[in-house]
Amino acid sequence: MRTDRIEALCDGIFAIVMTLLVLNLSVPVVTNEAELFNKLLTMWPKFLAYVISFVVLGVIWSFHHRLLDGVRKCDGWFLWMNICFFMIVAFIPFTTELLSEYRHGSTAIVIYGINSTALFTLLYCQCWYASAGRRLIDERIEAKSILKLKATFAGGALASIAAIAFSFVNTDISIFIFAIVYAAFVVFVATRGTFDARDAQADSKQDAWMR
Amino acid sequence: MRTDRIEALCDGIFAIVMTLLVLNLSVPVVTNEAELFNKLLTMWPKFLAYVISFVVLGVIWSFHHRLLDGVRKCDGWFLWMNICFFMIVAFIPFTTELLSEYRHGSTAIVIYGINSTALFTLLYCQCWYASAGRRLIDERIEAKSILKLKATFAGGALASIAAIAFSFVNTDISIFIFAIVYAAFVVFVATRGTFDARDAQADSKQDAWMR
Amino acid sequence: MRTDRIEALCDGIFAIVMTLLVLNLSVPVVTNEAELFNKLLTMWPKFLAYVISFVVLGVIWSFHHRLLDGVRKCDGWFLWMNICFFMIVAFIPFTTELLSEYRHGSTAIVIYGINSTALFTLLYCQCWYASAGRRLIDERIEAKSILKLKATFAGGALASIAAIAFSFVNTDISIFIFAIVYAAFVVFVATRGTFDARDAQADSKQDAWMR
Amino acid sequence: MRTDRIEALCDGIFAIVMTLLVLNLSVPVVTNEAELFNKLLTMWPKFLAYVISFVVLGVIWSFHHRLLDGVRKCDGWFLWMNICFFMIVAFIPFTTELLSEYRHGSTAIVIYGINSTALFTLLYCQCWYASAGRRLIDERIEAKSILKLKATFAGGALASIAAIAFSFVNTDISIFIFAIVYAAFVVFVATRGTFDARDAQADSKQDAWMR
């Protein structure tokens, strides 16, 4: 079992899930210009949910991409962790739309928080399983890099749990936590180093977690 | 005709079929918090069907992945077996949803059973066709490994036929059979050995069926 | 511009288009067992359209796959021929469903025939453009192999035109023509020779059109 | 981070977005032949929107493809530019359908224009970011080639802004501008040089922007 088939399945699933919310944007049926403008304005929570869901999926895809770049082998348990991970990824558009429509109540925030916690917990488990005793990862990756990646995923999971807890006090705090965490992750992904393309594949694998 | 294009088509189709049931999860339209919670609770058969369908597709994808890892060549008949296989794979979400909604009657179970039987029969045929006279598979794969894989697929098909037969006596027995079989397959996939990634591709191909 | 990106886009589009008709299979809402059975029975034209559309797309995918196997370079015009080809491929599920619902009138047959003619004409054009003066194809491919492939595509286009013409006399003749042509193509694809996998990629390219 | 995963995600997203408008073509329910013909005729704006959207996406995909062919490395900022780019690409079917239904008012044209401007601006930014100080691109690509590609993207963005401005005077002028620009781009893509396939991958990368 090679990692390239998992990567292909992963890219296919992310491509579908990223465009999922755009599937139910339909052109409004109106009779005049002013009505069209107003109808489109009332669709803004749908557009916002689409943008948020796309950015969050972009962060998660980048994290998973970075993780797999360091993984040289694949076994059955790691495969199942990936399949469970994909299953939870596919819920992001649904929970994001739920949040964008019912953000003033704790139900939507708790569900979004559970989804987010599950995602980062699975990323943490994959990282832990692959790196424990250097089971699946490249032997040249430093312990420091593994710790850093694990800390990032643990941070995401803990922040999501905190957001769930705060939702019973004040839902605005929860939304603020999610906003801060994902903004931080967007910057985290953006500021990672430069990796060489195909021709330097062996090297880029080695370097993936080091920078 | 190389196997990599079949693999690419396969991954694309599985990505779509795996996320198919999530496509018709839509955010409920409600006026208050309690109603939202209740509406989401009543959606549980849809969520369950999604999870079951995803896990079953994960098992089937892994089996097909394992099979193709041992296949070095491809011919026209093998191609058609694959296309028929993909055609039947795409029915899993539909038959799973049918089963989750109407599990107390034999109609849904018979249909699910036929789908499941067809899947394993086609996997068996692919395995038989590729390995008969070492037509398409790697010559280093041992006869013992081929027999093991064939036995797994035959087991899946026979169990599905048994589930169909028992549905006319007691539908709970049928569901129990399906649950046992897929739980066994999840463990089967999980406990397979470790395979090297890209750089050891030739070796991993050789080893794919041996462990 | 390499052919591998076109192949990746091609596989993605075929994966979506092949599963398109399964997207609108929805589980019927019924109150008892007998009603469920009857409702499912009335869905048979949808199932049939799905199977036919899948098989036809399998034939077209195999032809296009075979064509690209012989193509070593890609230029802008060839790229546009491919994009137009994908555009027409995506209509197959729609025209197949139309045919399965309104097969007794000439409208559906004419539309299906136009779709089919356009497909084979574009395959012919791609083959002609790539092979004229050995513009894009591998220099080792024999003239006889090119002629054979061109004849196959021309045959598909001419048979589709004949089916359109006969639809004004008797629609059953048209359907008979389509059935014969695609049955012949299924056999044509199935009986092509064996090609080596990745490790013999250079050779397989050379041989793709020879067998 | 290698560019091949971005390419795989890109091809998956374009495959879905290209076929998006075909997803909501449904077979009309009618009782006689004449009615079927009329119903299909009234669907022409949907067919037209599909064709336009497919061609525009073909142009954008080719431009992005050409850009990535010259990119040898990938970093975090470049990754985010790509994710934002994919997010905007997924709006093309929606804005195209909007334009095809409400082309006589300025609202639809302004929205289509904003979408088009954003696309070319992001392509320009990617090209500028990758080539500034030869940050990510192949060192053998000539400055002249970079300038040419940047000029093309800047031209697309400026023409889209012009179309937005003219929409307040006369919407026909705006549509004429879009038609001219995309027709020019179709020819631009078609008349680019010939590139070698896989076996000459290193060379084709070098040449990608030179011709």
Side-chain angles (χ1 to χ4, degrees):
Chain A
M1 228 176 282
R2 312 179 312 272
T3 57
D4 59 345
R5 289 290 305 271
I6 296 183
E7 287 175 3
L9 187 67
C10 172
D11 291 337
I13 287 177
F14 269 94
I16 296 161
V17 178
M18 278 173 164
T19 50
L20 214 60
L21 289 186
V22 111
L23 286 179
N24 56 18
L25 285 185
S26 50
V27 171
V29 180
V30 296
T31 50
N32 65 59
E33 200 59 14
E35 206 189 333
L36 177 65
F37 189 75
N38 289 331
K39 271 275 174 73
L40 288 172
L41 272 190
T42 60
M43 284 167 76
W44 75 265
K46 277 179 188 289
F47 290 113
L48 183 70
Y50 172 71
V51 171
I52 293 172
S53 150
F54 212 103
V55 171
V56 167
L57 285 162
V59 167
I60 303 293
W61 182 80
S62 304
F63 281 158
H64 187 254
H65 181 353
R66 181 167 290 271
L67 184 72
L68 280 191
D69 266 358
V71 171
R72 293 200 83 84
K73 297 186 255 181
C74 173
D75 68 6
W77 294 108
F78 191 71
L79 179 69
W80 276 117
M81 285 179 194
N82 270 283
I83 289 175
C84 288
F85 172 71
F86 298 151
M87 193 165 73
I88 290 161
V89 160
F91 274 112
I92 295 178
F94 176 76
T95 55
T96 307
E97 209 184 341
L98 201 72
L99 188 67
S100 89
E101 302 255 3
Y102 303 107
R103 67 192 165 285
H104 300 302
S106 58
T107 307
I109 289 172
V110 168
I111 290 169
Y112 189 84
I114 291 171
N115 194 359
S116 195
T117 309
L119 273 175
F120 286 108
T121 305
L122 266 164
L123 278 173
Y124 182 88
C125 289
Q126 285 184 46
C127 189
W128 161 80
Y129 181 81
S131 64
R134 313 244 143 199
R135 193 185 277 120
L136 305 173
I137 61 165
D138 197 288
E139 71 271 11
R140 288 163 300 184
I141 293 173
E142 294 174 46
K144 205 177 62 184
S145 308
I146 299 168
L147 208 69
K148 217 169 166 186
L149 207 61
K150 270 163 137 178
T152 310
F153 297 152
L158 292 175
S160 303
I161 293 169
I164 295 174
F166 276 110
S167 77
F168 299 105
V169 184
N170 186 335
T171 56
D172 290 342
I173 300 176
S174 304
I175 288 173
F176 185 73
I177 292 173
F178 285 129
I180 288 289
V181 167
Y182 280 106
F185 284 162
V186 165
V187 174
F188 179 91
V189 169
T191 54
R192 295 295 96 183
T194 310
F195 307 109
D196 285 323
R198 285 183 205 87
D199 50 349
Q201 198 163 301
D203 284 349
S204 85
K205 278 218 160 246
Q206 169 189 4
D207 290 326
W209 286 10
M210 295 194 186
R211 301 183 191 187
Chain B
M1 229 177 283
R2 312 179 311 274
T3 58
D4 59 345
R5 290 289 305 272
I6 296 184
E7 286 176 4
L9 187 67
C10 171
D11 291 336
I13 286 177
F14 269 93
I16 295 162
V17 177
M18 279 173 165
T19 50
L20 214 61
L21 289 186
V22 112
L23 286 179
N24 56 19
L25 286 185
S26 50
V27 171
V29 179
V30 296
T31 50
N32 66 58
E33 200 59 14
E35 205 189 334
L36 176 64
F37 189 75
N38 290 331
K39 271 275 175 72
L40 289 172
L41 272 190
T42 60
M43 285 167 75
W44 77 263
K46 277 178 188 287
F47 291 113
L48 183 70
Y50 172 71
V51 171
I52 293 172
S53 150
F54 213 102
V55 171
V56 166
L57 285 162
V59 167
I60 304 292
W61 181 80
S62 304
F63 280 158
H64 187 253
H65 180 354
R66 179 167 293 270
L67 183 73
L68 280 192
D69 266 357
V71 172
R72 294 200 83 85
K73 299 186 254 179
C74 174
D75 68 7
W77 293 108
F78 192 71
L79 179 69
W80 276 117
M81 286 179 194
N82 270 282
I83 289 175
C84 289
F85 173 70
F86 298 152
M87 193 165 72
I88 290 162
V89 160
F91 274 112
I92 295 178
F94 176 76
T95 55
T96 307
E97 210 184 341
L98 201 72
L99 189 66
S100 90
E101 302 255 2
Y102 303 107
R103 67 191 164 286
H104 300 302
S106 59
T107 307
I109 289 172
V110 169
I111 290 170
Y112 190 84
I114 291 171
N115 194 359
S116 194
T117 308
L119 274 175
F120 287 109
T121 306
L122 266 164
L123 279 172
Y124 182 88
C125 288
Q126 286 184 47
C127 189
W128 161 80
Y129 182 81
S131 64
R134 313 245 143 198
R135 193 185 277 119
L136 305 173
I137 62 165
D138 198 289
E139 72 271 10
R140 290 163 298 185
I141 292 173
E142 294 174 45
K144 205 177 61 185
S145 308
I146 298 168
L147 208 69
K148 218 169 167 185
L149 207 60
K150 269 163 135 179
T152 311
F153 298 152
L158 291 175
S160 303
I161 292 169
I164 295 174
F166 276 110
S167 78
F168 299 106
V169 185
N170 186 336
T171 57
D172 290 342
I173 301 176
S174 303
I175 288 173
F176 184 73
I177 292 173
F178 285 129
I180 289 289
V181 167
Y182 281 106
F185 283 162
V186 166
V187 175
F188 179 91
V189 170
T191 54
R192 294 297 97 182
T194 310
F195 308 108
D196 287 322
R198 283 185 206 86
D199 49 350
Q201 197 162 302
D203 284 350
S204 85
K205 278 219 159 244
Q206 169 189 4
D207 291 326
W209 286 8
M210 296 193 187
R211 302 183 191 186
Chain C
M1 226 178 283
R2 309 180 314 273
T3 57
D4 60 345
R5 289 290 305 272
I6 295 184
E7 287 175 4
L9 187 67
C10 172
D11 290 337
I13 285 177
F14 268 94
I16 296 162
V17 177
M18 278 174 165
T19 51
L20 214 61
L21 288 186
V22 112
L23 286 179
N24 56 19
L25 285 185
S26 50
V27 171
V29 181
V30 296
T31 50
N32 65 57
E33 199 61 12
E35 204 189 335
L36 176 64
F37 189 76
N38 289 330
K39 271 276 174 71
L40 288 172
L41 272 190
T42 60
M43 285 167 75
W44 76 264
K46 278 178 188 288
F47 291 113
L48 183 71
Y50 172 72
V51 171
I52 293 172
S53 150
F54 212 103
V55 170
V56 167
L57 285 161
V59 167
I60 303 292
W61 181 81
S62 305
F63 281 158
H64 187 253
H65 180 354
R66 180 167 290 269
L67 183 73
L68 280 192
D69 267 357
V71 172
R72 294 200 84 84
K73 299 187 253 179
C74 173
D75 68 7
W77 294 107
F78 191 71
L79 179 69
W80 276 117
M81 285 179 194
N82 271 283
I83 290 176
C84 289
F85 173 71
F86 298 153
M87 193 166 72
I88 289 162
V89 160
F91 275 111
I92 295 178
F94 176 77
T95 53
T96 307
E97 210 184 340
L98 201 71
L99 188 66
S100 90
E101 302 256 2
Y102 302 107
R103 68 192 164 285
H104 300 303
S106 59
T107 307
I109 289 172
V110 168
I111 290 170
Y112 189 84
I114 291 171
N115 194 359
S116 195
T117 309
L119 274 174
F120 287 109
T121 306
L122 265 163
L123 279 172
Y124 183 87
C125 288
Q126 286 184 47
C127 189
W128 161 79
Y129 182 81
S131 64
R134 313 245 142 198
R135 192 186 277 120
L136 305 172
I137 61 165
D138 197 288
E139 71 271 11
R140 289 164 298 185
I141 293 173
E142 294 174 46
K144 204 177 64 186
S145 308
I146 298 168
L147 208 70
K148 217 169 167 185
L149 208 60
K150 269 162 136 180
T152 311
F153 298 152
L158 291 175
S160 303
I161 291 170
I164 294 174
F166 276 110
S167 77
F168 299 105
V169 184
N170 186 336
T171 58
D172 290 341
I173 300 176
S174 302
I175 288 173
F176 184 73
I177 293 173
F178 285 128
I180 289 289
V181 167
Y182 281 106
F185 284 163
V186 165
V187 174
F188 180 91
V189 170
T191 53
R192 293 297 96 183
T194 310
F195 307 109
D196 286 322
R198 284 184 206 86
D199 50 349
Q201 197 163 306
D203 284 349
S204 86
K205 276 217 161 248
Q206 169 189 4
D207 292 326
W209 286 9
M210 296 194 188
R211 300 181 193 188
Chain D
M1 227 177 283
R2 311 179 314 272
T3 57
D4 58 346
R5 290 289 306 272
I6 295 184
E7 287 175 4
L9 187 67
C10 172
D11 290 336
I13 286 177
F14 269 92
I16 297 162
V17 177
M18 278 173 165
T19 50
L20 214 59
L21 288 187
V22 111
L23 286 179
N24 55 20
L25 286 185
S26 50
V27 171
V29 181
V30 296
T31 50
N32 65 58
E33 200 60 13
E35 205 189 334
L36 176 64
F37 189 74
N38 289 330
K39 271 274 175 73
L40 289 172
L41 271 190
T42 61
M43 285 168 75
W44 76 264
K46 278 178 188 287
F47 291 112
L48 183 70
Y50 172 71
V51 171
I52 293 172
S53 149
F54 213 102
V55 171
V56 167
L57 285 161
V59 167
I60 304 292
W61 181 80
S62 304
F63 280 158
H64 186 254
H65 181 353
R66 180 168 291 268
L67 184 72
L68 280 191
D69 266 356
V71 172
R72 293 200 84 83
K73 300 186 251 180
C74 173
D75 68 6
W77 293 109
F78 192 71
L79 179 69
W80 276 117
M81 285 178 195
N82 271 283
I83 290 176
C84 288
F85 172 71
F86 298 152
M87 193 166 72
I88 290 163
V89 160
F91 274 111
I92 295 178
F94 176 77
T95 54
T96 307
E97 209 184 342
L98 201 71
L99 188 66
S100 89
E101 301 255 2
Y102 303 107
R103 66 192 167 286
H104 300 302
S106 59
T107 306
I109 289 172
V110 169
I111 290 169
Y112 189 84
I114 291 171
N115 194 358
S116 194
T117 310
L119 274 174
F120 287 108
T121 306
L122 266 164
L123 279 172
Y124 182 88
C125 288
Q126 285 185 45
C127 189
W128 161 79
Y129 182 81
S131 64
R134 314 245 142 196
R135 193 185 277 119
L136 305 172
I137 61 165
D138 197 287
E139 70 272 10
R140 290 163 298 183
I141 292 173
E142 294 174 46
K144 205 177 63 184
S145 309
I146 299 169
L147 208 70
K148 217 169 165 186
L149 208 60
K150 270 163 136 179
T152 311
F153 298 154
L158 291 175
S160 303
I161 292 170
I164 296 174
F166 276 111
S167 77
F168 299 106
V169 185
N170 186 335
T171 56
D172 290 342
I173 300 175
S174 303
I175 288 173
F176 184 73
I177 293 173
F178 285 129
I180 288 290
V181 167
Y182 281 106
F185 284 163
V186 165
V187 174
F188 180 91
V189 169
T191 54
R192 294 297 94 183
T194 310
F195 307 108
D196 285 324
R198 284 185 205 85
D199 50 349
Q201 198 163 303
D203 285 349
S204 85
K205 276 216 162 249
Q206 170 190 4
D207 292 327
W209 286 9
M210 296 192 185
R211 301 180 194 190

